Amino acid sequence: MAFVRNQWYVAAYSAEVGRALLARIILGEPLVLYRTSAGQPAALADRCVHRHFPLSASQLDGDTIVCGYHGFSYGPDGRCVAVPGQQRIPRTARVSAYPAAEQDSLVWVWIGDPERADPGLIPRAPWLDDAGYTTVRGMEPLAARYELLVDNLLDLSHETYLHGGYIGTPEVADTPISTEIDQEQRVIRVSRRMDNAACPPFYAQSTGIGGRIVRWQDIEYYPPCLYVLHSRVAPAGVLPRPDGTDPDGFHVEVVYAITPSTETSTYDFWAVARDFAPGDTDVSAFLHDSNRTVVLQDVEALNMLERVIAAEPPGTQELSINIDTGGLAARRMLARLAEESACLPAPVP
Ligand code: FES
Ligand SMILES: [Fe+2]
C-alpha cells in the first residue's frame, strides 16, 4: 500500500528534541530535528544541497545548522544563510523545511504539501501531558511495514497467545468485539468488554487487585498515525456509577503513534498513562518494563511476519474472521486516504 501523505506524524517525543541534532526517516524522507533557542521544534530535510552530507551529522550554531562537510549553513526555515569562500549565496540553496508542531508531549511533523498543514488536524492524546496521569513511554523500531502494526493493534485477541503471562488471558480471545467506523470523524472504534475475567499480571501487580476483574478495552484508531486503547479494570462486579464516576475503576490510556519510516520499517512509539498510583516509581518501573516486553514480543512477531509476506508470491490470500473487522476497516480507510493523498495536486516548488 502507498503511504498516506498530507498528514501529521509523530517524529519524536518532546524530550528527544533539543539542542542536539536528531535524525529520523519518515515516509521515506530523511529529516533532521532540533529545537531553536526560542524552544520551537524545527524539522529540515536531512541532506545538504551541496554534496548531500547529512545535516544530522553536522553542528548547530545558534539556530543555524552548519554542514559538517564544507560549511553551508541553514536557518530553521531551510534557507541557506552562508556558503564557504564566497559572498553570493545561490538562489536555490535551501533545503525543505517541514511544518512541525508540539502537542501532548509529542513532536509532530507534516509530511506533504506545507500549505495544507493545519495543527488543528493533529489527533489528541492529552493524558500524556496531564498532571492527573503518570506516564511511562518508549519507542521501538520495527523492521516491518506499518500496516502490520495497525493490524496488530486493532485485533487484541492476539494478547491471549502472544502476550500470555503479561496482558493476555483466555477471556480476551474468547470475547467478541464490536466495531464502529466513523467516516466523518475519521476514527475506527473497536470494543471488547469482559465482565468476569482473570486479571493478568500487568494489572494485578500495578493495581493490587487480587481476584477476577471487569475488563474493558475500548480502542480508537485515528488513521494513519494515532491509536489509543482506553483500558478500564475493576474488581469483578464493579461498574461505574450511573453518574459516570468510577471510584473503584483503574484507568490506563495506552497510546501508540504509528509512524512509517520506510516501506518496510516503522517507528513504534508507545506510552502507558495511568490514573492510579500517581508518581509511584515502582509501579512506573513495572509498567514500563512490562509494556516494553509486550511491545518487543509484537516487534519480534511482526518482523518475522514481514519476512514471510515479502517472500510470498503476489496475490497470496489471507483468511479473515470476525476478530478482523477492525483491522479490515482500518485497511479500507488507509487505502482511501492513500488514494486521496495521491490525487492531491503536487506542491508548487
Ligand atoms: S556537503 Fe554540505 S557543505 Fe558540502
Ligand atoms: Fe501485541
Side-chain angles (χ1 to χ4, degrees), residues 48 50-53 67 69-72:
C48 179
H50 179 224
R51 290 295 178 266
H52 297 184
F53 192 77
C67 178
Y69 198 2
H70 316 96
F72 276 48

Side-chain angles (χ1 to χ4, degrees), residues 79-97:
R79 203 178 293 270
C80 182
V81 294
V83 297
Q86 62 183 58
Q87 290 299 315
R88 196 187 68 81
I89 299 169
R91 193 178 46 82
T92 56
R94 64 179 306 157
V95 295
S96 296

Side-chain angles (χ1 to χ4, degrees), residues 193 214 216 232 234-235 237-249 251:
R193 300 205 163 189
V214 187
W216 292 357
R232 172 190 184 268
V238 172
L239 293 173
R241 294 183 181 132
D243 67 1
T245 57
D246 192 11
D248 297 315
H251 302 95

